[in-house]
Amino acid sequence: MSSSPYEGESKPGRPHPSSPRSAAVERRHSTAQPGDAASRQKRGAPGGTASKLGTWIRSALLVAPLVVLGYVVFTRAPDPVGSGGASLPAADEDTLVKSPLSDADLPRVAEIMVALWNGTAVADLGPVPARLQERAQPIYLAARHDGVRRQRRWQNGKGTVVEALAAGIGRLRQQLGAKASEIDALSVDLSHSFRTVEFQYLRSKPFRRSHRGVFGVEIRRGDDVLRYGPSRVIDSNRGPNRMREVFRDRYDLTDEQSQDDEVTFRVFRADELLVKLGTTPRAKRLFRGNEVVDVSAVSAASLGRWADLAIDWLRNNVHDDGRLTYLYWPSPMREAPPTKNNMIRQWMATVALGRWAADRNDAMTWDLSERNIDYNLAKFYREQDGLGMIERLGKVKLGAMALATLAIVEHKNRAKWAGQEAALRRSIDSLWHDDGSFTTFLKPEGRNDNTNFYPGEALLLWAVLYDQQPDPALLERFMRSFRYYRAWHLDENNRNPAFIPWHTQAYYLVWTHTQDEKLRDFVFEMNDWLLGVQQWDDANHPDERGRFYARDRGFGPPHASSTGVYIEGLIDAFRLARAVGDDKRAEAYRLALVRGMRSQLQLQFADEVDLSYVAADQRHRVRGGIRTTTYDNSIRCDNVQHPLMGILKVLRTFQDSDYQHP
């Protein structure tokens, strides 16, 4: 085994993503109600779900007592591969933890870490928790100051855990020299439960879409070793392919050598800790670089705080010229290049700015929204033969034109862009056909796909226009499209959850004017089916609960924006069910919303723990942003805008009792 202090990391002198400090701030998802301690804690809580509506509700009512049990099972069990995951070999017996670290141990662990940092000898520490007296296995240590990781090392397992910690901290201090006094936090992974796997397992869907960041990864070839502990997997945002490239480059191997039979792979668990140094030391146990949000934290207050932070992210990422950040990468602390962009998502974010401004009568956000519209039109708007277009890379999409028009027609200064609005509406009309269908692209001519998205976006625009000014001719075209796309969606070859939120919002809005039973019934049919796509009992890990992801149904990977847009649709389905007195459906939709919002609370960068690896001078670019998943910290603009627009509607709709689970 290599004894290099940089084992598992890049060599000195190579660039690394920076990481931030832990600031003493109140946990952002607290309900801020005196005595409500449960809502200020983050824990995992299992529940029940089923695709059949009645079973789904009955199951949900049975799960409340399992909150504490779920936390223990998922955070302390040695082999938490969860349901539906690929099978893993048993962990090596001599690497298992015999005395798991308990929450009651954490204050003492913090005191010990500070004492070791200050040079106290192991013999003088006093009582040591049983976990720290076990035989040491490799330990990852990272020293941070003001959000920046100043030094890190893997300490090989010799003696007991506390002895290895003392040795590793001593080496860290030597490497830091005079800067050791600046360190304010330590990230610590106490590894355990190693098991050998094939590289193909690391590339499998269960690992990539669920277990990444719960397990660390070790790559070995002879004496050459690279490790990524769970905390490093998260703060580097690196997957298995990139890890293998780092291993190859670290040890100057060829591609063939880095992939030959001499290379072995192991995954492992770790007690993942964030230790705050100083006069009041604190230690937090983390799960995938974060704390697990309990569903009991969902409340009007916590979601109000969530929304405040989310709009701050959008506002902080509108640049002076009006451009909105499309994608930000917290690990390297930079924006994605301009080649990473999407007009539909950009214009949806513009819509979100406007809706927040209207909801809160927020003059500053109205101004930002106007500046953003001006920028987008200047860069991407074209006219040809009287038709307005939103064009990028030779593509003119129905959805982009619809959402650009929606941003304009909902803005208080709509008249400023009357010419562009009229031309865009002519383009959308030109793509509509008498049977109710839309062609989904104006350019390239003849392209007609993305049917699960673009027609629903166009119908949402028409619904908003009809809501603003009822027009019988527009309603007649809208209903033709409703009949066409209802039949299209119910064809089993086309059934897809992505279709549902757009059409739900459009049909609900028109229903508020017409009370058409066919609109009502289809909204219910779509959303009853959608409930079966949400994860709860079948989630592999507690931080995944509430997300919408059908593991084996081919609907694509989990994504924060997906769960966000389903919240947008489900709150309208809930409103509809409550309006017509369908209490059974209203309860089912309410419960799904509460669970989906738990997922959004989980994914937000908001407090000292979430931001513990984000540099202080970059936190304004990150705070309030929504991770793509629990294991992918990329922040795309639609990760933020979709759930923000849904949660704004929830806050206007829910009563206090509606936030309860179950």
Side-chain angles (χ1 to χ4, degrees):
M1 179 178 290
S2 168
S3 60
S4 166
Y6 302 103
E7 177 182 316
E9 299 294 335
S10 300
K11 293 178 181 177
R14 294 190 180 183
H16 301 281
S18 297
S19 331
R21 63 164 169 73
S22 302
V25 296
E26 181 179 353
R27 184 70 189 160
R28 86 286 192 175
H29 298 318
S30 167
T31 60
Q33 296 174 359
D36 191 5
S39 65
R40 291 192 293 272
Q41 297 173 352
K42 288 185 151 189
R43 293 287 187 267
T49 186
S51 58
K52 298 295 185 181
L53 186 60
T55 305
W56 194 88
I57 298 171
R58 288 194 300 272
S59 299
L61 297 174
L62 298 175
V63 301
L66 300 179
V67 171
V68 175
L69 174 61
Y71 177 74
V72 173
V73 168
F74 279 97
T75 62
R76 296 186 187 168
D79 302 310
V81 294
S83 61
S87 60
L88 279 171
D92 297 341
E93 186 68 26
D94 62 350
T95 68
L96 294 176
V97 170
K98 297 174 177 60
S99 301
L101 202 62
S102 71
D103 289 346
D105 292 329
L106 294 179
R108 181 62 186 142
V109 169
E111 293 171 355
I112 288 171
M113 294 295 291
V114 170
L116 292 175
W117 186 257
N118 291 331
T120 302
V122 171
D124 298 329
L125 288 174
V128 174
R131 172 72 177 96
L132 303 190
Q133 298 180 49
E134 292 188 8
R135 183 181 65 82
Q137 300 181 64
I139 295 172
Y140 175 69
L141 293 162
R144 305 180 185 278
H145 165 62
D146 203 20
V148 178
R149 189 183 61 247
R150 296 298 189 190
Q151 193 56 262
R152 77 270 178 238
R153 66 174 287 103
W154 275 96
Q155 181 65 31
N156 292 330
K158 293 182 179 179
T160 64
V161 173
V162 71
E163 290 169 341
L165 282 169
I169 287 172
R171 290 293 303 275
L172 275 182
R173 289 191 64 98
Q174 289 177 9
Q175 292 162 354
L176 287 162
K179 292 187 176 181
S181 61
E182 300 175 355
I183 300 303
D184 54 33
L186 297 173
S187 294
V188 183
D189 285 354
L190 307 177
S191 67
H192 63 83
S193 303
F194 285 76
R195 66 198 80 199
T196 301
V197 298
E198 298 293 330
F199 184 69
Q200 288 307 310
Y201 171 74
L202 300 179
R203 299 183 63 190
S204 69
K205 283 185 179 180
F207 188 86
R208 287 187 293 111
R209 296 183 179 179
S210 184
H211 303 322
R212 176 176 152 191
V214 174
F215 290 94
V217 175
E218 178 189 89
I219 307 176
R220 178 185 294 272
R221 190 177 190 272
D223 291 334
D224 296 336
V225 181
L226 177 144
R227 290 192 195 94
Y228 279 78
S231 66
R232 184 70 177 125
V233 171
I234 296 300
D235 72 37
S236 68
N237 207 27
R238 288 176 179 167
N241 287 334
R242 179 61 184 137
M243 293 177 193
R244 188 161 68 173
E245 290 173 356
V246 172
F247 178 73
R248 177 200 64 199
D249 296 343
R250 172 86 40 74
Y251 296 110
D252 298 322
L253 303 175
T254 65
D255 286 340
E256 292 75 14
Q257 288 174 320
S258 69
Q259 300 175 35
D260 65 21
D261 292 341
E262 294 184 44
V263 179
T264 60
F265 301 88
R266 293 200 298 174
V267 295
F268 58 91
R269 295 297 311 277
D271 292 303
E272 189 181 346
L273 303 172
L274 178 64
V275 180
K276 183 71 174 176
L277 304 177
T279 56
T280 308
R282 288 174 290 135
K284 289 184 177 289
R285 184 212 306 272
L286 306 187
F287 185 84
R288 207 166 356 211
N290 201 349
E291 295 175 284
V292 177
V293 177
D294 179 37
V295 71
S296 67
V298 178
S299 69
S302 66
L303 291 173
R305 172 68 171 154
W306 183 98
D308 288 341
L309 289 168
I311 193 62
D312 279 349
W313 188 88
L314 285 174
R315 288 188 296 219
N316 288 336
N317 281 276
V318 176
H319 300 263
D320 290 343
D321 61 357
R323 180 181 66 85
L324 175 71
T325 299
Y326 173 69
L327 176 63
Y328 189 83
W329 291 323
S331 292
M333 297 187 298
R334 60 182 174 86
E335 278 191 65
T339 53
K340 300 280 188 180
N341 205 355
N342 180 284
M343 288 298 96
I344 288 176
R345 294 166 187 150
Q346 285 281 3
W347 282 105
M348 285 191 297
T350 311
V351 171
L353 286 167
R355 289 190 177 175
W356 174 275
D359 188 78
R360 305 300 171 94
N361 193 25
D362 182 343
M364 180 183 75
T365 305
W366 275 129
D367 290 345
L368 285 174
S369 175
E370 181 174 353
R371 190 191 311 164
N372 181 233
I373 291 173
D374 285 340
Y375 176 88
N376 287 343
L377 291 175
K379 293 294 184 181
F380 303 108
Y381 178 78
R382 312 282 185 270
E383 275 193 31
Q384 183 177 336
D385 300 327
L387 299 180
M389 309 174 211
I390 302 299
E391 183 171 0
R392 181 175 179 270
L393 301 178
K395 298 175 184 177
V396 179
K397 304 173 183 178
L398 171 65
M401 293 188 293
L403 291 164
T405 310
L406 184 61
I408 289 171
V409 303
E410 291 187 343
H411 201 281
K412 69 172 187 172
N413 293 334
R414 173 181 182 176
K416 177 179 180 180
W417 308 286
Q420 292 96 326
E421 176 192 335
L424 287 166
R425 289 173 65 175
R426 286 193 294 270
S427 295
I428 293 166
D429 290 347
S430 76
L431 294 174
W432 186 81
H433 306 288
D434 287 343
D435 64 355
S437 67
F438 286 93
T439 297
T440 56
F441 282 78
L442 191 59
K443 293 182 181 181
E445 186 176 356
R447 182 171 174 181
N448 193 23
D449 51 53
N450 278 283
T451 306
N452 280 307
F453 298 93
Y454 301 172
E457 292 157 359
L459 289 176
L460 179 57
L461 168 66
W462 280 4
V464 168
L465 291 170
Y466 186 82
D467 183 56
Q468 291 176 343
Q469 184 175 342
D471 174 359
L474 179 60
L475 179 61
E476 195 276 333
R477 283 189 292 161
F478 182 94
M479 292 305 294
R480 278 200 208 179
S481 292
F482 159 70
R483 290 188 289 272
Y484 179 90
Y485 286 106
R486 177 181 58 179
W488 184 88
H489 175 70
L490 293 178
D491 183 329
E492 285 303 316
N493 293 320
N494 299 326
R495 209 75 185 266
N496 191 296
F499 176 96
I500 294 171
W502 299 106
H503 290 261
T504 294
Q505 293 177 83
Y507 301 154
Y508 169 71
L509 188 53
V510 170
W511 178 89
T512 63
H513 291 270
T514 67
Q515 280 76 56
D516 188 293
E517 293 182 357
K518 292 182 175 63
L519 292 174
R520 177 200 66 194
D521 292 346
F522 188 43
V523 167
F524 289 158
E525 185 172 6
M526 288 188 292
N527 286 278
D528 289 353
W529 181 87
L530 179 64
L531 299 183
V533 181
Q534 188 175 35
Q535 291 192 305
W536 197 254
D537 269 351
D538 60 340
N540 285 332
H541 303 292
D543 58 351
E544 298 169 353
R545 291 191 176 111
R547 71 181 185 177
F548 284 79
Y549 172 53
R551 184 182 292 118
D552 300 315
R553 296 171 66 180
F555 296 141
H559 204 289
S561 66
S562 297
T563 296
V565 75
Y566 298 140
I567 290 172
E568 283 189 82
L570 273 167
I571 185 57
D572 284 347
F574 170 82
R575 288 168 157 177
L576 179 55
R578 184 161 280 184
V580 301
D582 191 335
D583 294 340
K584 187 176 182 180
R585 278 195 168 90
E587 174 61 12
Y589 300 156
R590 183 196 70 79
L591 191 57
L593 284 162
V594 170
R595 292 174 171 180
M597 292 183 295
R598 188 224 72 83
S599 178
Q600 293 298 325
L601 292 176
Q602 183 74 64
L603 293 173
Q604 188 173 54
F605 281 102
D607 69 2
E608 63 175 341
V609 174
D610 303 315
L611 294 160
S612 65
Y613 56 88
V614 181
D617 62 357
Q618 290 296 309
R619 287 186 176 180
H620 68 288
R621 302 295 305 277
V622 175
R623 183 181 285 107
I626 309 301
R627 303 170 185 84
T628 296
T629 62
T630 54
Y631 48 81
D632 178 356
N633 62 21
S634 304
I635 306 171
R636 207 171 67 188
C637 63
D638 57 321
N639 293 5
V640 181
Q641 63 82 15
H642 270 314
L644 177 59
M645 291 198 291
I647 286 172
L648 280 177
K649 289 193 285 187
V650 169
L651 290 169
R652 291 197 298 267
T653 304
F654 269 24
Q655 301 171 359
D656 286 345
S657 60
D658 291 326
Y659 295 98
Q660 300 302 309
H661 186 277

